Amino acid sequence: MPRSRRSTKRPWSAEHVPLEVDRATGGRRWESGPDGEWIVQAVRGSDREYRCPGCDQLLAPGTGHVVAWRTDSWRGDGLDERRHWHTSCWQARGRRSPTRRAGP
């Protein structure tokens, strides 16, 4: 037997709400550059610290940053190779090369 009352989630006369792609994809976006194809996700912050490969400085816990990983890796291990970058370091990666930490 069908319901006798209409749904209240979206009234029939209401305007259609467009899909927010950024929200639906979890903030992930695909970028391509001279250094390859990347999936990039903005992160508000986390409870641990990471080392940025762009400047070799620590990302303090709770700091908003970018997580990026390659999609065109010939080994197919892109998700295992994800790195946490400062947003500004990620945007400047084409203008400078990644730093290398000095040995012990």
Side-chain angles (χ1 to χ4, degrees), residues 27-93:
R28 290 183 182 171
R29 63 186 186 274
W30 286 259
E31 291 185 14
S32 62
D35 56 347
E37 302 287 325
W38 297 84
I39 295 178
V40 182
Q41 182 172 0
V43 179
R44 290 185 182 163
S46 67
D47 55 346
R48 57 180 283 208
E49 60 183 29
Y50 297 97
R51 186 164 298 275
C52 175
C55 65
D56 200 31
Q57 300 295 314
L58 289 177
L59 285 155
T63 304
H65 60 280
V66 170
V67 179
W69 61 94
R70 292 182 67 121
T71 61
D72 60 351
S73 173
W74 63 273
R75 294 179 292 174
D77 58 354
L79 195 57
D80 294 334
E81 295 293 321
R82 61 187 166 198
R83 298 290 175 254
H84 296 253
W85 296 68
H86 289 106
T87 305
S88 59
C89 292
W90 174 254
Q91 293 168 347
R93 78 187 189 285

Side-chain angles (χ1 to χ4, degrees), residues 15-28:
E15 191 79 18
H16 173 71
V17 179
L19 177 68
E20 293 180 37
V21 177
D22 194 39
R23 186 173 173 201
T25 59
R28 290 183 182 171

